[in-house]
């Protein structure tokens, strides 16, 4: 307020918008000249313009009588440019450099922010600028002097040669006819720098007449800088609402939107992804994941997305293989790309990858050597194809990475029929290209109700049940060994492990981890790769990790858990699974963590990594799911706040929500010192969130 009183309003000025010269007014910026000399004092010999390019050339006289002008240098320049002979085409007819050319260049392509202002009789009149051009001296006369010099040297060399030199030998001339130009070649030629320069040179110059500052025509044109009508019709742009005026002052930045990447290179940002159209979301997800069940795709897109629209979009970028969607080859290998290994063009790569996809529609297993023998591609390219959609099994070959999705097949028979028709067309092309013998191709088994060459979902369930019954004794022994290992393992002091209810029949049948955002996706899907429900252990495609492979999986999982809890000290099981899902999305296909991590295995790893489960007393009417009621916290991180954090966690093991003054008093009592506000804020920020004046452990508050 004091500053406003010291700076009172002196005068209010009306502002008018003049538009008579809005499409014709240019601002010329000249080189710096002495203050005593204006460009209006210099005679303008000629002026010309190229309107499309907004390019101007001005020719101005040089004051040769000025004492600062070097006459000898001017004569030397004129002699170098025109030579000793007088000609009508000479640049300097007076044998003296008596003029100079200025060429323009655009300073900015957006002139909407600039205007010319004229203040007259207490009114300010603004005229928008159509262009801003900087005029710089042109030294084209030096190029002309160099050309003259080369001509004189060539003439001297020709004069020194022998006059009686024999005529040149007759040379054979080969006539060649150019091939028709393709569309791609024409596009490259049109966008080339040489072509653009040629187009600019073809635009004709329009000669202008220059009027000085004191000329009557200049005074007449200057009147157009004043607003012609004061009825308000011409000044509607200056009558804006406060919101429109604020938008004009601070428009949204378009450059930031252009610089924002369309698709992340490694980790998908779901928040950014969901701002894109649905078709782009599906394409980006499939391009990154490559193989995905339809149910998992729906969970990643969100519950509000229409499944019919997703079905239409997925068929444009993927093909149905064993009830799962595999990204199309032309999405991974665009038209003008090539193999990074062998340099093979994209068309050949797409054909070879389509053959691999077609083989998986016929069987669960594919042999790499067979694919290489048929497609004639190098080993690296074939391995890339297989890694996109399969996992290698020792002494067996490559098995399709996902189990057969019989549920989708039964639910969408129209989509399955349409995909089968597409595969028939692809098969016909592959037979023609690779000379495949129809008799040697796999045939559809008798009585099969699923796609060609695949076992139906009901048959797979029956086979799985028989195998489970046969291995029942083995599973019980593994269960007993696991219980003994858990009992014998050393538990950290003060750690309270929440017991999980076991099945009544005594089976240790673990539910695979559900890492989908909604938590309701069947089969424990994680980034398009399901953790297969398996009796008696964590498994994937029926092959449980064991030996060194199991040790590596446990080591990778523990590294993820330790790194996660070092960043976020308190996590619910639901939030931990969500973070693990995002971690899987950043891993390459076929990574060992895709072997299927169950909830039990994840919890055991958390407890083994130095964390504790906090038994928060949730209220009876809570809406939290079972996974949200399992709260884990890092007990010791090695910093000075460990003791404060442990006291805080003990408070929340008895209270669902706590006031700040109670936390402050308990910390002071247990730590035996008067803690500062900054220390209390730090431990609260690490472990808690505030809601409605109360403090909750992270992930436990239900609004």
């Amino acid at each position: 307020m004091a500053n406003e009183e010291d700076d009172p309003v002196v005068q209010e000025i009306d502002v008018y918008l003049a538009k008579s010269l809005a499409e014709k007014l240019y601002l010329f910026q000249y080189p710096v000249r002495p203050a005593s000399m204006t460009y209006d004092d210099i005679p303008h010999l000629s002026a010309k313009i190229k309107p499309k390019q907004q390019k101007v050339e001005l020719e101005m006289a040089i004051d040769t009588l000025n004492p600062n002008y070097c006459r000898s240098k001017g004569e030397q320049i004129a002699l170098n440019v025109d030579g000793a002979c007088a000609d009508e085409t000479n640049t300097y007819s007076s044998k003296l450099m008596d003029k100079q050319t200025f060429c323009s260049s655009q300073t900015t392509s957006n002139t909407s922010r600039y205007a010319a202002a004229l203040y007259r009789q207490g009114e300010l009149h603004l005229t928008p600028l159509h262009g801003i051009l900087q005029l710089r001296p042109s030294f084209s006369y030096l190029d002309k002097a160099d050309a003259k010099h080369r001509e004189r040297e060539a003439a001297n060399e020709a004069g020194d040669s022998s006059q009686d030199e024999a005529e040149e030998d007759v040379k054979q001339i080969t006539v060649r006819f150019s091939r028709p130009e393709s569309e791609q070649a024409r596009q490259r030629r049109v966008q080339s720098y040489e072509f653009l320069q040629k187009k600019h040179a073809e635009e004709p110059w329009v000669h202008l007449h220059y009027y000085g500052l004191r000329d009557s025509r200049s005074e007449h044109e200057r009147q157009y800088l004043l607003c012609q009508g004061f009825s308000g019709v011409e000044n509607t742009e200056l009558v804006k609402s406060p919101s429109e005026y604020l938008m004009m002052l601070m428009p949204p930045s378009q450059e930031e939107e252009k610089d924002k990447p369309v698709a992340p290179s490694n980790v998908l940002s779901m928040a950014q992804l969901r701002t894109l159209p649905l078709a782009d979301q599906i394409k980006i997800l499939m391009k990154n994941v490559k193989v995905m069940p339809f149910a998992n795709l729906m969970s990643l897109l969100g519950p509000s997305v229409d499944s019919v629209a997703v079905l239409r979009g997925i068929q444009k970028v993927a093909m149905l293989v064993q009830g799962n969607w595999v990204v199309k080859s032309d999405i991974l290998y665009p038209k003008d790309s090539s193999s990074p290994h062998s340099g093979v063009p994209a068309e050949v790569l797409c054909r070879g990858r389509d053959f691999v996809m077609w083989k998986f529609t016929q069987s669960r297993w594919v042999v790499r050597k067979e694919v290489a023998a048929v497609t004639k591609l190098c080993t690296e390219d074939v391995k890339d194809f297989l890694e996109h959609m399969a996992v290698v099994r020792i002494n067996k070959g490559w098995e399709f990475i996902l189990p057969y999705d019989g549920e989708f097949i039964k639910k969408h028979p129209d989509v399955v029929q349409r995909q089968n028709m597409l595969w028939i067309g692809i098969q016909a092309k592959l037979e023609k290209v690779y000379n495949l013998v129809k008799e040697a191709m796999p045939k559809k088994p008798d009585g099969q109700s699923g796609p060609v060459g695949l076992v139906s979902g009901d048959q797979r369930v029956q086979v799985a049940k028989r195998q489970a019954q046969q291995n029942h004794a083995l599973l019980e022994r593994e269960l007993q060994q696991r219980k003994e290992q858990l009992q014998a393992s050393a538990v950290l002091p003060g750690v309270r492990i929440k017991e999980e209810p076991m099945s009544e029949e005594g089976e240790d049948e673990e539910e695979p981890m559900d890492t989908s955002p909604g938590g309701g996706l069947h089969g424990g899907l994680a980034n398009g790769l399901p953790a297969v429900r398996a009796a008696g252990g964590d498994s994937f495609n029926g092959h449980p990790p064991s030996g060194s492979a199991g040790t590596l999986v446990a080591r990778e999982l523990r590294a993820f858990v330790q790194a996660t809890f070092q960043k976020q000290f308190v996590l619910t099981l639901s939030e931990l699974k969500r973070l693990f899902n995002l971690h899987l999305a950043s891993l390459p296909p076929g990574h060992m963590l895709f072997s299927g991590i169950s909830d039990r295995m994840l919890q055991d790893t958390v407890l083994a990594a130095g964390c504790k489960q906090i038994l928060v007393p949730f209220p009876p009417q809570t809406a939290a799911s079972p996974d949200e009621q399992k709260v884990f916290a890092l007990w010791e991180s090695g910093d000075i706040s460990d003791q404060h954090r442990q006291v805080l966690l003990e408070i929340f093991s008895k209270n669902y929500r706590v006031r700040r003054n109670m936390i402050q008093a308990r910390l002071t009592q247990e730590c035996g010192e008067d803690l500062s506000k900054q220390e209390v804020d730090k431990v609260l920020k690490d472990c808690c969130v505030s809601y409605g004046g109360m403090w909750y452990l992270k992930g436990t508050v239900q609004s």
Side-chain angles (χ1 to χ4, degrees):
M1 295 296 294
N3 294 335
E4 293 181 0
E5 293 177 357
D6 295 340
D7 190 14
V9 176
V10 178
Q11 182 182 2
E12 293 185 359
I13 301 174
D14 294 331
V15 180
Y16 297 92
L17 181 63
K19 300 171 64 177
S20 300
L21 299 178
E23 301 297 328
K24 306 173 184 177
L25 189 61
Y26 288 86
L27 174 64
F28 289 175
Q29 297 177 343
Y30 290 85
V32 178
R33 287 278 181 172
S36 60
M37 180 185 300
T38 63
Y39 280 95
D40 189 63
D41 299 330
I42 303 174
H44 287 64
L45 303 179
S46 66
K48 54 185 180 179
I49 186 174
K50 288 186 176 183
K52 293 182 180 180
Q53 304 177 39
Q54 294 190 4
K55 185 176 181 180
V56 175
E57 275 195 10
L58 297 180
E59 197 172 79
M60 298 183 181
I62 297 178
D63 185 10
T64 59
L65 301 179
N66 191 294
N68 295 324
Y69 181 78
C70 181
R71 191 175 183 86
S72 61
K73 190 66 175 177
E75 292 176 350
Q76 182 64 42
I77 292 176
L79 180 63
N80 293 339
V81 173
D82 299 327
C85 300
D87 193 356
E88 296 180 355
T89 60
N90 285 357
T91 304
Y92 305 111
S93 57
S94 63
K95 302 296 182 181
L96 191 68
M97 183 181 179
D98 55 359
K99 58 185 177 181
Q100 188 174 13
T101 303
F102 290 86
C103 290
S104 69
S105 61
Q106 293 189 37
T107 58
T108 178
S109 58
N110 182 17
T111 59
S112 59
R113 300 169 50 195
Y114 302 95
L118 183 62
Y119 180 74
R120 178 173 294 185
Q121 297 178 358
E123 299 172 350
L124 185 64
H125 298 261
L126 301 177
T127 302
L129 291 177
H130 186 62
I132 302 177
L133 304 178
Q134 284 187 347
L135 293 174
R136 296 184 176 89
S138 174
F139 300 99
S140 57
Y141 59 87
L142 297 178
D143 298 334
K144 190 174 181 180
D146 291 341
K148 289 277 187 181
H149 179 68
R150 285 194 294 269
E151 289 178 1
R152 287 194 294 267
E153 287 185 350
N156 293 335
E157 291 178 0
D160 295 340
S161 62
S162 176
Q163 298 296 327
D164 56 349
E165 184 178 355
E167 295 184 359
E168 295 182 359
D169 297 336
V170 178
K171 294 183 179 180
Q172 182 180 1
I173 299 176
T174 303
V175 180
R176 296 182 180 178
F177 296 93
S178 60
R179 293 181 296 179
E181 187 178 28
S182 63
E183 182 62 23
Q184 293 181 352
R186 191 188 71 82
Q187 289 291 342
R188 289 194 296 268
R189 181 176 60 82
V190 169
Q191 296 176 2
S192 64
Y193 176 78
E194 182 180 357
F195 181 82
L196 295 177
Q197 289 296 104
K198 184 179 179 181
K199 292 292 290 185
H200 289 170
E202 290 176 355
E203 183 181 358
W205 287 101
V206 178
H207 291 273
L208 306 175
H209 184 74
Y210 176 80
Y211 294 93
L213 179 64
R214 300 174 183 85
D215 193 278
S216 59
R217 180 63 183 271
S218 296
E219 181 63 29
H220 174 74
E221 294 291 334
R222 200 176 298 117
Q223 295 299 321
Y224 288 110
L225 294 176
L226 300 174
C227 184
Q228 301 301 313
F230 298 94
S231 61
V233 178
E234 208 173 325
N235 295 283
T236 55
E237 287 83 354
L238 300 181
V239 182
K240 300 290 184 183
S241 64
S243 60
E244 292 175 337
Y245 183 66
L246 181 61
M247 184 62 66
M248 294 173 63
L249 289 177
M250 301 180 64
S253 177
Q254 298 180 356
E255 296 180 358
E256 293 180 1
E257 296 178 0
K258 293 179 180 179
D259 294 340
K260 190 180 292 182
V262 176
S265 59
N266 191 8
V267 180
L268 288 177
S269 172
M270 299 303 297
Q272 180 184 346
L273 184 68
R274 288 176 180 171
T275 61
L276 301 176
L278 180 60
D280 293 340
Q281 294 185 43
I282 297 174
K283 182 177 180 180
I284 292 173
L285 285 172
M286 292 305 305
K287 188 175 181 180
N288 281 271
V289 181
K290 300 186 177 55
V291 184
M292 189 185 301
F294 184 76
N296 197 20
L297 178 62
M298 289 298 300
S299 69
L300 292 176
L301 294 175
S304 60
V305 180
D306 184 17
S307 61
V308 178
V310 177
L311 273 176
R312 287 197 298 265
I314 190 64
Q315 294 183 69
K316 297 179 181 179
V317 297
M319 295 291 294
L320 191 65
V321 178
Q322 301 189 23
N324 302 281
W325 292 98
V326 182
V327 64
K328 288 184 177 180
S329 301
D330 55 359
I331 301 296
L332 297 180
Y333 303 107
K335 188 175 181 181
D336 296 330
S337 64
S338 59
S339 168
H341 306 295
S342 59
V344 174
E347 181 181 1
V348 180
L349 293 176
C350 292
R351 195 160 54 229
R353 188 173 181 274
D354 287 345
F355 176 75
V356 175
M357 293 169 61
W358 172 79
K359 289 288 290 183
F360 277 118
T361 64
Q362 308 295 310
S363 173
R364 287 286 301 175
W365 301 88
V366 168
V367 180
R368 180 178 57 82
K369 292 183 178 180
E370 179 185 349
V371 175
V374 174
T375 60
K376 302 297 191 294
L377 293 173
C378 68
T379 305
E380 289 78 8
D381 289 334
V382 176
K383 187 177 180 181
D384 285 347
F385 301 157
L386 293 170
E387 287 179 346
H388 291 168
M389 62 192 83
V391 290
V392 64
R393 304 299 184 197
I394 300 176
N395 298 329
K396 291 186 178 181
W398 291 78
E399 184 184 9
F400 192 68
I401 196 170
L402 297 180
Y404 176 79
D405 193 350
E407 183 179 353
F408 179 84
I409 297 296
K410 293 179 181 179
K411 191 174 181 180
H412 303 282
D414 53 337
V415 177
V416 175
Q417 183 179 5
R418 192 179 305 114
Q419 289 291 311
N420 286 340
M421 296 300 295
L422 292 176
W423 277 120
I424 291 174
I426 294 175
Q427 177 180 340
K429 293 181 181 179
L430 295 175
E431 291 173 357
K432 184 177 180 181
V433 173
Y434 295 129
N435 297 323
L436 301 178
V437 182
K438 292 186 178 181
E439 290 74 6
M441 291 185 180
K443 297 181 180 180
K444 183 176 180 179
D446 297 334
Q448 180 178 322
S449 60
V452 178
L454 296 178
V455 181
S456 66
D458 292 337
Q459 294 176 353
R460 291 174 57 84
V461 171
Q462 296 297 330
V463 172
K465 286 183 177 179
R466 288 195 298 268
Q467 291 180 352
Q469 294 174 358
Q470 295 173 0
N471 297 331
H472 181 72
L474 178 62
L475 295 177
E476 286 191 346
R477 287 196 300 270
E478 291 179 355
L479 172 61
Q480 188 63 29
Q481 292 176 1
R482 183 164 185 157
K483 287 182 178 180
E484 293 176 357
Q485 291 176 359
L486 288 176
Q487 293 175 359
S489 60
V491 182
L492 292 175
V495 177
R496 294 191 294 170
I497 302 177
K498 187 176 180 181
E499 293 293 334
E500 296 292 336
M502 307 300 290
S503 61
E504 296 179 358
E505 299 178 3
E507 297 177 358
D508 186 15
E509 185 176 4
E510 296 185 7
E511 183 71 22
M513 182 177 64
D514 179 7
T515 54
S516 64
L521 186 60
H522 298 293
L525 297 171
N527 193 36
L529 300 174
V532 182
R533 183 185 178 105
D538 305 318
S539 66
F540 182 63
N541 285 343
H543 296 269
S546 60
S548 60
T551 304
L552 292 176
V553 171
R555 187 181 303 169
E556 287 285 335
L557 184 59
R558 179 158 183 167
F560 160 76
V561 169
Q562 290 176 342
T564 303
F565 275 93
Q566 286 293 336
K567 298 177 182 178
Q568 303 185 39
F569 294 92
V570 177
L571 287 171
T572 63
L573 180 60
S574 176
E575 178 65 12
L576 180 60
K577 290 195 293 185
R578 188 187 69 83
L579 295 175
F580 184 65
N581 186 20
L582 295 178
H583 178 64
L584 289 180
S586 66
L587 299 177
H591 193 273
M592 63 181 64
L593 283 184
F594 288 127
S595 59
I597 306 300
S598 67
D599 288 359
R600 178 63 62 82
M601 184 176 181
L602 185 62
Q603 294 177 69
D604 292 346
T605 305
V606 171
L607 296 176
C611 301
K612 288 187 179 182
Q613 182 174 356
I614 310 301
L615 300 180
V616 179
F618 282 84
Q621 68 277 12
T622 181
S625 65
D627 285 349
E628 292 175 342
Q629 295 185 33
K630 294 181 180 180
V631 184
F632 297 92
L634 181 62
W635 195 253
E636 293 182 357
S637 63
D639 58 10
I640 59 176
S641 300
D642 282 347
Q643 183 182 4
H644 305 157
R645 193 182 307 110
Q646 292 169 8
V647 173
L648 180 69
L649 295 175
E650 290 179 358
I651 295 174
F652 279 101
S653 66
K654 301 177 181 178
N655 301 275
Y656 172 62
R657 56 183 182 179
V658 187
R659 294 189 180 275
R660 180 188 174 92
N661 56 1
M662 178 181 176
I663 298 175
Q664 179 87 36
R666 183 68 180 275
L667 286 173
T668 304
Q669 177 184 356
E670 295 292 337
C671 299
E673 57 185 2
D674 189 10
L675 298 178
S676 64
K677 182 178 181 298
Q678 291 77 11
E679 292 175 322
V680 177
D681 289 343
K682 181 181 182 306
V683 72
L684 288 175
K685 181 181 178 182
D686 290 343
C687 304
C688 303
V689 292
S690 177
Y691 182 78
M694 304 294 289
W695 288 88
Y696 302 78
L697 277 185
K698 288 183 178 180
T700 62
V701 60
Q702 301 295 322
S703 58

